[in-house]
Amino acid sequence: CMTRRRPLLIFTATRPDQVPARCKRVLSLDGAVPGAVVTYDHHQTGERINLDAVPPLVDPAQFDGIATTLADTDALVSVVAVLLGGPAALEPRTRAILEAASHRCDHLVAHPGHPPEIDALGRGLDNYVGGELAGCAPSRRSATFARLCWEVFDAVAVGNALPRREEPAWAEAVARVVEAGHLVLHGDVLVVDLREHRRLRVRPDAWYLSRPACLASVVVEVHPRGGPRYTV
């Protein structure tokens, strides 16, 4: 485990200058990282979760870096699987929990192929990873993602329970917005007014989860240069 860590970097990148100079053979997962020699991205190939886009066996020694464009649980699961040699190397129950976590991350609902017990464990892992990422500054997100990948890898490698969190880290923040009357459903559109709620670190899907009936949302914030900023 430790010998593998030294030569292999885990990071996020959307631009060539974000790829460490020492990384000449980068594996891109759950997104198209510039300059990657191999990419397994379900957004391009259509699989339900990114783990399904990764070949059964992958030799991590063929790469000096593993990267994604956006740090989240779905990307983390693929990274961990690759570090272990590919999805086929995962113990069946562990793989099921990782699949459930990925599905919760990307689709916000339970994986259709797994029972409630597995979904609960997967949701707990997604809550943990999402909370850790939401709680760090943007400048630290790549490093935090790498730390989380190694943390989950270590747990899987030795057979320990995966880290989890019962409630999302942002549950309190969402409750405050709801209590203030700033989360309103207009037909199928959810309007989230955050102009009086500065510096909230809430994962975007938290708003959808609070009002599952919505088909789209408009998030209103204060623009750093003045006036409102709208995110649809």
Side-chain angles (χ1 to χ4, degrees):
C1 167
M2 290 306 295
T3 56
R4 187 179 294 167
R5 289 189 189 195
R6 292 190 185 95
L8 191 60
L9 292 182
I10 298 172
F11 59 94
T12 63
T14 55
R15 305 190 312 266
D17 61 283
Q18 294 174 325
V19 178
R22 59 169 275 199
C23 287
K24 306 302 181 186
R25 291 189 57 80
V26 174
L27 171 60
S28 178
L29 298 170
D30 198 25
V33 173
V37 294
V38 178
T39 297
Y40 301 129
D41 177 18
H42 73 131
H43 300 289
Q44 298 182 46
T45 49
E47 292 83 1
R48 183 185 293 270
I49 57 175
N50 202 73
L51 192 65
D52 294 337
V54 180
L57 298 174
V58 182
D59 181 4
Q62 299 300 308
F63 308 98
D64 52 23
I66 302 178
T68 187
T69 51
L70 177 66
D72 66 7
T73 305
D74 191 40
L76 176 144
V77 164
S78 288
V79 172
V80 170
V82 166
L83 290 173
L84 290 161
L90 295 168
E91 184 271 328
R93 178 178 168 83
T94 299
R95 177 168 180 167
I97 295 170
L98 294 176
E99 287 175 347
S102 282
H103 201 275
R104 279 285 176 180
C105 170
D106 272 18
H107 301 283
L108 314 185
V109 296
H111 191 294
H114 297 308
E117 176 216 354
I118 295 296
D119 172 59
L121 295 171
R123 187 172 67 248
L125 175 60
D126 183 40
N127 284 343
Y128 175 75
V129 172
E132 292 292 300
L133 290 169
C136 71
S139 62
R140 295 292 304 161
R141 198 156 292 150
S142 183
T144 301
F145 177 68
R147 173 181 64 79
L148 291 167
C149 286
W150 287 119
E151 181 181 350
V152 175
F153 166 80
D154 285 339
V156 173
V158 300
N160 287 344
L162 297 176
R164 59 185 303 216
R165 183 175 183 137
E166 290 301 324
E167 290 293 327
W170 44 84
E172 241 179 70
V174 171
R176 289 202 303 272
V177 176
V178 171
E179 288 166 11
H182 296 154
L183 198 70
V184 182
L185 194 61
H186 295 278
D188 293 329
V189 179
L190 178 65
V191 177
V192 186
D193 189 346
L194 301 181
R195 287 173 293 181
E196 294 180 17
H197 306 274
R198 304 293 183 91
R199 298 177 182 175
L200 277 187
R201 288 179 176 172
V202 175
R203 209 166 78 173
D205 59 16
W207 308 120
Y208 289 98
L209 288 169
S210 65
R211 296 292 186 275
C214 75
L215 296 181
S217 72
V218 178
V219 180
V220 189
E221 302 170 276
V222 175
H223 195 283
R225 296 182 181 177
R229 174 171 61 189
Y230 301 96
T231 305
V232 180

